[in-house]
Amino acid sequence: MTNPPWSPYVLFENAVPTWLCDRIIDYHSDLEYYSAGVTTDSDPVESVRSRKTDIQGSALEWLNSMILGYLRKANVMNFNYDLTDHDKEFMQFAKYTKGMFFKDHMDYGVHRDQLPFTRKLSLTLQLSNPADYKGGELIIYNCNSGDYTCPKSQGSIVVFDSRWVHEVLPVKSGTRYSMVKWIHGDTHLR
């Protein structure tokens, strides 16, 4: 685990064993994917320009519990936000193949009537072996010390404030798999 005394992110490098990452990928390989969208006020065409990836909700409760543990640990170590005890969203398993991407965005939402309004922390678990794909870097923008390119090492977890702008660059070859999760508060971030 590496991060400065206060940081816009907390990194748990190689937190999940590679064999377990491979099993998580295998579990999801036979399940149906759907095209991802984004929450937006604009038309559906904007959603397609912003994000091109295949996703599925994940029902692995043991993995959800483990990931929530990392979110809560990062919160205690670094953010100290008031978090809810209620788990409001499923994990999201994402598959990025050649040409797929997720343009710069925030996970936090500004509309009071939408679920992302109370998101406080975002987590990405890197499931793929970095040798299995090129491109697909996860970048967190405008961090205090500059933009941060997250490690691609298999099993690494990065937790960051849901208000930070970030993106997944286009995959140039191969397949990038990741798991994404958000934790909420009972009230929104200010």
Side-chain angles (χ1 to χ4, degrees), residues 2-4 7-11 78-79 140 143 145 148 158-160:
T2 56
N3 58 292
S7 175
Y9 64 88
V10 174
L11 172 64
N78 191 66
F79 301 100
I140 304 171
C143 295
S145 57
Y148 177 66
V158 64
V159 177
F160 55 95

Side-chain angles (χ1 to χ4, degrees), residues 7 22 48 50 100 145 166 183-184:
S7 175
D22 293 338
V48 172
S50 298
M100 291 185 166
S145 57
H166 58 286
I183 195 166
H184 292 253

Side-chain angles (χ1 to χ4, degrees), residues 139-149:
I139 301 175
I140 304 171
Y141 290 107
N142 301 319
C143 295
N144 293 346
S145 57
D147 300 341
Y148 177 66
T149 302

